[in-house]
Amino acid sequence: MLVHGGDDIVAVAGLAEKQLSIINLTDGTTARPVDGEVESVAIAGRLLAVTGAETKIISRETGETVWQPDAPDWADSDNSNPPIPIIAFNSSGDSFAIGGKGEEMIDQYSIDTGEITSTLSGAPPRLRWLGFSPGDGYLLAITPNTGAVTVWRAGETEPHLPDVFGSMDYTAAAFHPDGEHCAMGMWSGYLGIHRLSDGANVETRAAHNSGLNALGFTPDGNFLLSGGDDGKLLVWEVLA
């Protein structure tokens, strides 16, 4: 997993040792602010969220814990395969969502108070990916194994267009900078760009020969990058 912090900081969590490294792209220095295995990471300004051996949000400046759940049920030591939650910050950085805790819901918290502000229903118990769109108009989750996609619209607690976005076989997603479109990649190697307001598929391409597992738009939204299990990194001009 690789996450850009927006200020020449990149967080990298390895697939093998699952150790988190924070790389400063300006001076090339590397720091490891968290001990133990890290499964997912998110950055919002000076805040760093990690899940894995521990689930918590820390200050990148001081290393102090800003938020941590109390005795989470999913960390039960008797469970040989406990769910690993995922945390996603909204684009304004004043709240975060956490899901994948083994429950069919996602809780959204205030950064300032650490209290739950809303609970979204219809969520998969485990998550592969979770993210807010630019402008926070939508929240999107991908289920591991089945690849089902669930979308919620801001201000609503029930899934948005479940008959459209409940499709299977998705492995990766990336929001367009306009906040109204989302690229989704599939195990088959296909990718599609969807309009989130009505679920319309506005563009589809056969991108890779096997699983598509990474997507990202350029900041201007004119190009889409895709990476797949075929070892290729491709760049697509966005036509829609």
Side-chain angles (χ1 to χ4, degrees), residues 168-229:
M168 307 295 185
D169 198 35
Y170 289 104
T171 54
F175 290 107
H176 189 276
D178 67 7
E180 291 296 327
H181 293 81
C182 184
M184 301 181 194
M186 308 181 77
W187 290 110
S188 61
Y190 277 77
L191 69 83
I193 298 178
H194 297 261
R195 188 167 56 233
L196 295 171
S197 59
D198 59 7
N201 188 338
V202 298
E203 188 174 341
T204 300
R205 299 195 183 201
H208 295 268
N209 295 327
S210 55
L212 196 161
N213 50 41
L215 288 168
F217 284 97
T218 54
D220 59 12
N222 292 331
F223 296 93
L224 173 66
L225 284 73
S226 66
D229 289 339

Side-chain angles (χ1 to χ4, degrees), residues 28-228:
T29 58
T30 301
R32 287 194 169 181
V34 177
D35 294 327
E37 292 188 350
V38 172
E39 295 280 351
S40 72
V41 58
I43 300 175
R46 293 298 172 181
L47 295 179
L48 175 69
V50 295
T51 66
E54 290 187 281
T55 295
K56 61 183 178 179
I57 298 175
I58 66 173
S59 166
R60 283 171 43 204
E61 295 177 329
T62 66
E64 296 181 353
T65 298
V66 175
W67 176 88
Q68 190 168 24
D70 297 327
D73 294 337
W74 66 84
D76 185 351
S77 59
D78 293 334
N79 189 339
S80 61
N81 185 29
I84 303 297
I86 293 181
I87 294 175
F89 290 108
N90 69 349
S91 59
S92 58
D94 59 8
S95 72
F96 64 94
I98 178 170
K101 302 176 293 183
E103 303 171 320
E104 295 183 354
M105 63 181 66
I106 290 176
D107 291 323
Q108 190 165 350
Y109 288 78
S110 165
I111 290 290
D112 292 335
T113 67
E115 300 294 329
I116 295 176
T117 57
S118 64
T119 297
L120 311 182
S121 63
R126 294 174 183 256
L127 296 180
R128 176 185 178 93
W129 189 85
L130 181 69
F132 285 94
S133 65
D136 304 323
Y138 301 91
L139 178 69
L140 187 147
I142 300 179
T143 309
N145 300 323
T146 66
V149 167
T150 309
V151 176
W152 295 267
R153 189 157 50 182
E156 300 177 359
T157 59
E158 298 288 334
H160 173 59
L161 300 176
D163 293 339
V164 176
F165 291 115
S167 301
M168 307 295 185
D169 198 35
Y170 289 104
T171 54
F175 290 107
H176 189 276
D178 67 7
E180 291 296 327
H181 293 81
C182 184
M184 301 181 194
M186 308 181 77
W187 290 110
S188 61
Y190 277 77
L191 69 83
I193 298 178
H194 297 261
R195 188 167 56 233
L196 295 171
S197 59
D198 59 7
N201 188 338
V202 298
E203 188 174 341
T204 300
R205 299 195 183 201
H208 295 268
N209 295 327
S210 55
L212 196 161
N213 50 41
L215 288 168
F217 284 97
T218 54
D220 59 12
N222 292 331
F223 296 93
L224 173 66
L225 284 73
S226 66

